[in-house]
Amino acid sequence: MERRAITVRGIVQGVGFRPFVHGLAARAKLTGFVQNRLDGVRIEIEGNQESLDRFLAELTESAPPLAHIDAIIWERMPLRRDDAFRILPSEGGGPEAIFLAPDAATCAECLTELLDPANRRYRYPFLNCTRCGPRLTIVTGAPYDRARTTMAAFVMCAACRAEYDDPADRRFHAQPTCCPQCGPRLRLVDATGKTIAGDPLATFAAQLRAGRIGAIKGLGGYHLACVAASNSTVAELRRRKARDDKPFALMVEDLAAAERLCEIDAVERDLLLSPRRPVVLLRRRKNGAIAEGGAPGNPYLGLMLPYTPLHHLLVRELEGRPLVMTSGNRSDEPIAYEDEDALVRLAGIADLFLMHDRRIHVRCDDSVTRRVGDAEAPVRRSRGYAPQAVALPFACPFPILAVGGQLKVTFALGRDRHAFLSHHLGDLDHLDAYRAFVRDIELYKKLFGFEPALVVHDLHPDYASTRYALEKTGIPAFGVQHHHAHLAACLAENGLREPVLGVTFDGTGFGTDETIWGGEFLLGDYRSFRRVAHLRAVGMPGGEPAIREPWRMALAHARDADVVPAGLAERLPQDSLRVVEAMIDRSFRCPRTSSAGRLFDAVASLAGVRDRVRFEGQAAIELEWAAASMATDGSYPIAIESVAGEDGEMLVVDTRPLVREVVNDVQRRVATAKIARRFHSTLVEMIAEVCGRLRRVTGVDAVALSGGVFLNVLLIRETEERLRREGFRVYRHRQVPPNDGGLSLGQLALAAHR
Ligand code: ZN
Ligand code: ZN
Ligand code: FE
């Protein structure tokens, strides 16, 4: 006989861990106790050595789905000879969840109950348990218990209370637990807010089947829903959403339904089925019965499976029809998540609203992800992922707050070896998004129980996050260079500490030399960096407007290369062209940029793919789609020059030969897809060539690929392959997006090494 004291750390509180431990111990007839403490879960357990070893093994192997064990530490201690195994009250009434779990999709047990006519929660759209249901989206404060969630308004009935209090029950301390007697209810209202009589769900579904557009309240916000096969309904939704060209995400009943629309391999299947339930970007099948207006010209479809009981019931009512489930917003505003606000902001878009009285406190967009190679490559990390920590390969010497950039903002709180990354807050230009950013930073501080001693921000003086860091936090602030933060994010999530060559390609980032960077090769680690190579800088006519109008970049690159772009003059108004030409020639309002994103824009416009965009990166994305349909077919020339920089030699990639050949190909009427393909191959060759030269000089053979341009699957896959063939070790993002959504992680890493 022996007794062991075990401490388990990680996400082990508020996820059904204690009932699980209780069950394990009871089955093996072991005695002792389990208790939530401030530093994790404490277990003391007594029995013979063999069964204790088995207990420890099962603790990790069969832990509840939402648990995430970071460490198990144990030691022997004197025997106590208890008579049973008990769940003790939390120490000092301490926090129930030091590491709050993310929202999780309805678990298998709950789904069975939902569809079982004999169960008291049959067809109840809000059932959940410790293994599933809302978490972050309903939390209003800390510690995590029912009083500090939006479920506080509902008093548990006797039956729910009994389950909640029973250590052996799946709903033991399930904070949001409820039932038809005591929990939230559905309500269906029309566009004026008037209640529609009848069964809300059945009526809503019937209206969707009849071609109406509905708004439906989900975990983190409202979705706009309609039948995805109907060309006219989808076109109407597109029209009502105004200026929104983004592809619509779809919800399908199950994996089989997803496989009818898209090609799905093992990694993608796991992503679809995971309790995080992200939107997964999948290669669409030709015969997919989806309206073309849902994702026009897009070789991918964004699919997700139902993740709330309400979704499960809805897809059943729709008898297998795939649904458009796009974010409930107009254009690029933040999504609506409060009922009154949804009625106002989605008026004119939704014909009817399926609402309920469980309030959403934290707005949380759907996460978007995909597979690249054999691993996940996140596009947006939000619902289902946040606020789960990313493990750091170093310890933060003090608590740090990192505030991100301006677009696709996430913030991060760093403590010890954990970075708690926030949900997606979007574009801080929107006052509503900025307010949520300020409020949710305070919420996370409470949730994780600490006050940051340092705030780290981007060097850009006009980012709302920078101003917040400098003016609103009252703690020491530290500014870091944008692309250095991208590089550090990639290092941190890959557990690296050594200096690497960081290929950081994105749209725009504030440089250290008064120009706008975005096509950078940095040699660096967490402490410092040196800009060792970059794309040739050209003017960005008018500044910001050049981002929305790729034709301006086409003209800038063409004039830089001293060629006349074919076709532009026919497609664009003469006076606009003349104004921009004059700006370029006089360097008037033409900030210099080395941006790779803007080079993509220029080539997309030169090739006739797109002259104006409706969302960031649209032209580049469409150029990728064009290229993806082609086999490799040569590449364009590039020139690399060596110049004397401030701290040593620097390579500059001359883009002019490339631009001249693109213009030539357009004049010779070479197919657009072929031009797009050659352009991608050119970038791959260029990156390999520059990295090769830098390795000869520096001896560094590790390359980190980061920045929003590396959302491009074709580019990341081929660059990775090519560099590996050249003998490089290549690192890319698998946990956070390569774009500015991952910036806060990198900022945190830099601040921890200040
Ligand atoms: Zn459940
Ligand atoms: Zn109840
Ligand atoms: Fe960036």
Side-chain angles (χ1 to χ4, degrees):
M1 290 291 283
E2 71 178 56
R3 187 180 183 90
R4 293 180 190 174
I6 305 166
T7 300
V8 188
R9 295 214 181 94
I11 300 176
V12 286
Q13 295 168 330
V15 293
F17 198 75
R18 285 168 303 164
F20 155 73
V21 172
H22 181 270
L24 271 189
R27 269 198 303 284
K29 301 208 167 31
L30 303 170
T31 61
F33 69 84
V34 57
Q35 184 183 37
N36 272 350
R37 294 197 178 173
L38 284 169
D39 62 341
V41 166
R42 164 85 167 194
I43 303 167
E44 287 189 18
I45 191 146
E46 209 167 300
N48 65 47
Q49 197 189 332
E50 192 190 329
S51 46
L52 291 187
D53 285 345
R54 202 173 329 116
F55 174 85
L56 271 172
E58 283 184 56
L59 205 56
T60 37
E61 281 159 19
S62 46
L66 299 188
H68 184 87
I69 296 175
D70 284 329
I72 294 184
I73 303 146
W74 67 272
E75 57 190 4
R76 288 199 184 80
M77 59 180 293
L79 297 180
R80 289 259 180 84
R81 307 203 183 277
D82 323 78
D83 56 350
F85 191 87
R86 292 194 173 77
I87 298 180
L88 298 189
S90 300
E91 185 186 60
E96 284 295 298
I98 294 173
F99 289 7
L100 180 75
D103 298 270
T106 308
C107 72
E109 288 93 335
C110 283
L111 185 57
T112 306
E113 292 176 355
L114 181 71
L115 304 176
D116 173 10
N119 192 281
R120 71 186 187 93
R121 292 190 177 88
Y122 176 56
R123 289 182 61 80
Y124 180 58
F126 304 99
L127 90 170
N128 61 77
C129 71
T130 51
R131 297 173 194 170
C132 71
R135 293 286 188 282
L136 175 66
T137 51
I138 57 165
V139 150
T140 57
Y144 174 60
D145 62 20
R146 190 169 176 112
R148 276 164 291 259
T149 69
T150 60
M151 283 300 291
F154 301 91
V155 179
M156 269 185 252
C157 68
C160 285
R161 184 88 229 176
E163 292 166 342
Y164 182 89
D165 287 334
D166 176 3
D169 197 277
R170 204 174 88 242
R171 294 196 166 89
F172 178 60
H173 287 192
Q175 305 305 346
T177 191
C178 55
C179 77
Q181 263 60 59
C182 65
R185 289 193 186 163
L186 287 179
R187 189 162 67 102
L188 186 63
V189 305
D190 66 16
T192 67
K194 212 164 87 256
T195 301
I196 299 172
D199 178 64
L201 179 68
T203 313
F204 184 75
Q207 292 289 323
L208 292 194
R209 285 199 302 267
R212 314 287 294 278
I213 294 166
I216 174 171
K217 191 172 176 181
L219 272 182
Y222 274 84
H223 282 114
L224 289 162
C226 71
V227 170
S230 163
N231 280 312
S232 56
T233 310
V234 171
E236 178 63 14
L237 173 57
R238 187 70 70 198
R239 194 188 65 74
R240 292 186 193 174
K241 277 197 88 176
R243 294 187 298 112
D244 191 342
D245 271 4
K246 286 179 201 152
F248 292 154
L250 307 179
M251 181 173 281
V252 292
E253 192 173 359
D254 53 21
L255 191 63
E259 277 171 334
R260 283 194 288 278
L261 298 176
C262 295
E263 290 161 25
I264 300 171
D265 69 13
V267 176
E268 291 162 339
R269 193 177 54 221
D270 289 349
L271 291 174
L272 272 174
L273 290 171
S274 99
R276 301 166 180 276
R277 283 293 198 281
V279 173
V280 186
L281 303 179
L282 301 160
R283 187 156 278 280
R284 74 202 282 179
R285 290 186 196 276
K286 293 246 157 32
N287 58 355
I290 297 298
E292 184 48 35
N298 192 337
Y300 302 94
L301 282 181
L303 298 190
M304 61 183 151
L305 299 182
Y307 55 85
T308 68
L310 180 56
H311 294 150
H312 282 288
L313 296 172
L314 180 63
V315 296
R316 277 167 178 78
E317 292 282 332
L318 282 148
E319 292 151 351
R321 293 174 180 83
L323 279 178
V324 164
M325 285 285 263
T326 187
S327 39
N329 59 1
R330 198 179 288 272
S331 181
D332 57 351
E333 291 170 0
I335 54 171
Y337 71 107
E338 292 165 313
D339 303 337
E340 290 305 313
D341 182 54
L343 279 170
V344 173
R345 282 174 48 207
L346 304 181
I349 304 180
D351 299 313
L352 64 172
F353 294 75
L354 186 57
M355 315 183 136
H356 57 73
D357 49 357
R358 186 178 73 202
R359 213 160 49 75
I360 297 170
H361 185 72
V362 177
R363 169 179 26 226
C364 207
D365 293 66
D366 288 324
S367 293
V368 182
T369 195
R370 70 191 330 163
R371 174 192 63 80
V372 173
D374 57 358
E376 180 170 9
V379 175
R380 180 167 68 205
R381 185 187 187 276
S382 199
R383 181 198 37 83
Y385 292 72
Q388 190 169 333
V390 171
L392 299 172
F394 51 80
C396 300
F398 40 78
I400 300 166
L401 166 66
V403 294
Q406 176 73 9
L407 301 174
K408 301 182 172 65
V409 166
T410 62
F411 61 82
L413 286 175
R415 181 177 58 191
D416 304 330
R417 289 179 163 263
H418 293 288
F420 300 98
L421 249 68
S422 79
H423 50 288
H424 167 86
L425 287 139
D427 178 351
L428 297 190
D429 287 335
H430 288 281
L431 184 58
D432 195 28
Y434 178 75
R435 283 205 190 109
F437 166 81
V438 174
R439 189 197 68 171
D440 293 344
I441 287 175
E442 294 307 313
L443 178 68
Y444 273 57
K445 275 159 58 177
K446 276 193 249 162
L447 285 179
F448 298 107
F450 71 97
E451 276 297 325
L454 179 76
V455 57
V456 48
H457 59 84
D458 197 89
L459 288 182
H460 200 304
D462 298 328
Y463 280 179
S465 58
T466 304
R467 289 201 304 272
Y468 169 84
L470 294 172
E471 294 161 18
K472 303 276 190 253
T473 57
I475 53 174
F478 178 49
V480 297
Q481 201 278 323
H482 189 90
H483 302 91
H484 190 203
H486 275 311
L487 177 153
C490 193
L491 287 188
E493 71 157 88
N494 281 289
L496 294 175
R497 312 210 49 158
E498 62 188 306
V500 297
L501 294 170
V503 184
T504 52
F505 283 9
D506 66 0
T508 39
F510 203 75
T512 55
D513 63 352
E514 313 277 286
T515 72
I516 299 165
W517 292 10
E520 314 307 311
F521 295 78
L522 309 180
L523 171 65
D525 57 15
Y526 300 122
R527 281 170 211 287
S528 63
F529 76 97
R530 201 156 71 77
R531 190 188 194 201
V532 282
H534 62 87
L535 300 187
R536 178 182 163 86
V538 300
M540 198 174 149
E544 285 274 302
I547 299 173
R548 292 186 296 274
E549 299 181 5
W551 66 268
R552 292 180 185 235
M553 290 312 302
L555 210 53
H557 268 287
R559 284 188 98 73
D560 182 50
D562 209 13
V563 282
V564 179
L568 269 194
E570 287 88 79
R571 298 200 301 270
L572 293 158
Q574 288 310 306
D575 43 345
S576 307
L577 281 171
R578 263 195 300 274
V579 169
V580 167
E581 271 171 7
M583 287 167 88
I584 296 166
D585 294 344
R586 288 180 215 147
S587 298
F588 173 70
R589 287 209 188 141
C590 276
R592 315 282 300 164
T593 185
S594 55
S595 164
R598 297 290 86 80
L599 178 62
F600 261 92
D601 284 353
V603 172
S605 172
L606 289 172
V609 169
R610 180 164 287 278
D611 296 321
R612 291 189 170 82
V613 299
R614 288 185 169 175
F615 60 89
E616 197 205 6
Q618 187 180 15
I621 289 169
E622 291 178 4
L623 197 65
E624 177 191 352
W625 294 347
S629 63
M630 292 280 303
T632 43
D633 185 5
S635 65
Y636 296 116
I638 34 142
I640 297 169
E641 354 174 305
S642 172
V643 299
E646 268 173 38
D647 33 31
E649 186 185 286
M650 172 144 57
L651 302 177
V652 178
V653 178
D654 189 347
T655 47
R656 291 174 298 183
L658 152 75
V659 171
R660 282 185 204 116
E661 284 308 306
V662 169
V663 169
N664 264 339
D665 269 1
V666 174
Q667 250 145 12
R668 287 198 300 262
R669 302 195 182 283
V670 171
T672 306
K674 200 174 269 193
I675 297 173
R677 194 67 193 75
R678 287 177 178 166
F679 173 64
H680 279 76
S681 299
T682 308
L683 290 183
V684 174
E685 291 306 312
M686 179 271 284
I687 292 170
E689 175 65 25
V690 172
C691 288
R693 290 203 195 190
L694 293 173
R695 176 170 59 184
R696 281 199 288 281
V697 182
T698 63
V700 173
D701 71 345
V703 179
L705 305 174
S706 190
V709 167
F710 286 107
L711 284 172
N712 184 318
V713 178
L714 191 61
L715 186 66
I716 191 113
R717 222 180 39 219
E718 295 194 350
T719 304
E720 195 176 21
E721 262 170 37
R722 183 66 215 275
L723 288 171
R724 289 233 164 92
R725 253 190 292 136
E726 301 285 328
F728 286 96
R729 287 174 291 137
V730 188
Y731 300 94
R732 63 175 161 91
H733 291 278
R734 287 149 195 261
Q735 296 188 65
V736 303
N739 63 21
D740 288 5
L743 207 61
S744 57
L745 175 64
Q747 294 175 334
L748 192 71
L750 297 176
H753 291 81
R754 191 181 70 142

